Amino acid sequence: QVQLVESGGGLVQPGGSLRLSCAASGSFFSIDSMGWYRQAPGKQRELVVSITSGGSTNYADSVKGRFTISGDNAKNTMYLQMNSLKPEDTAVYYCNAVIRILYWSQNDYWGQGTQVTVSS
């Protein structure tokens, strides 16, 4: 069974930094892409950034230049370095992965979410 385990959320002051991690575990053929989404209270879940297995990235305009996604293929782990955090970055951050259990079987998986709070 595939699981995504997130870590690294917390409380930080405006202008501070946090690093989120998401590790995929279980038995599967490959990971096609991974990404981070966030959902603030009263708002819809939105894409923060995604990365494909080939390394192509797609950032939301609101985080460009501040957030950086990276991955360790050997560890099936994705990281999100968040710098210059703003109060509007406050949200629950969810890890997402599109994973092939078998070559012909592609599924969408979500982590449990980790709270990021930016406040003085």
Side-chain angles (χ1 to χ4, degrees), residues 7-86:
S7 60
L11 172 65
V12 64
Q13 292 186 341
S17 298
L18 280 175
R19 189 191 194 209
L20 306 182
S21 300
C22 174
S25 63
S27 178
F28 49 86
F29 177 76
S30 67
I31 299 176
D32 286 355
S33 66
M34 297 186 78
W36 291 96
Y37 288 72
R38 67 186 181 187
Q39 187 167 19
K43 294 188 176 181
Q44 289 189 333
R45 190 174 295 189
E46 62 176 2
L47 173 69
V48 177
V49 59
S50 63
I51 185 168
T52 68
S53 58
S56 297
T57 58
N58 179 31
Y59 288 89
D61 288 343
S62 59
V63 306
K64 285 180 180 177
R66 300 188 298 120
F67 291 10
T68 303
I69 191 171
S70 61
D72 185 334
N73 290 339
K75 296 181 179 180
N76 293 320
T77 299
M78 170 181 64
Y79 306 96
L80 181 64
Q81 179 65 43
M82 303 185 294
N83 299 328
S84 302
L85 282 160
K86 305 175 181 179

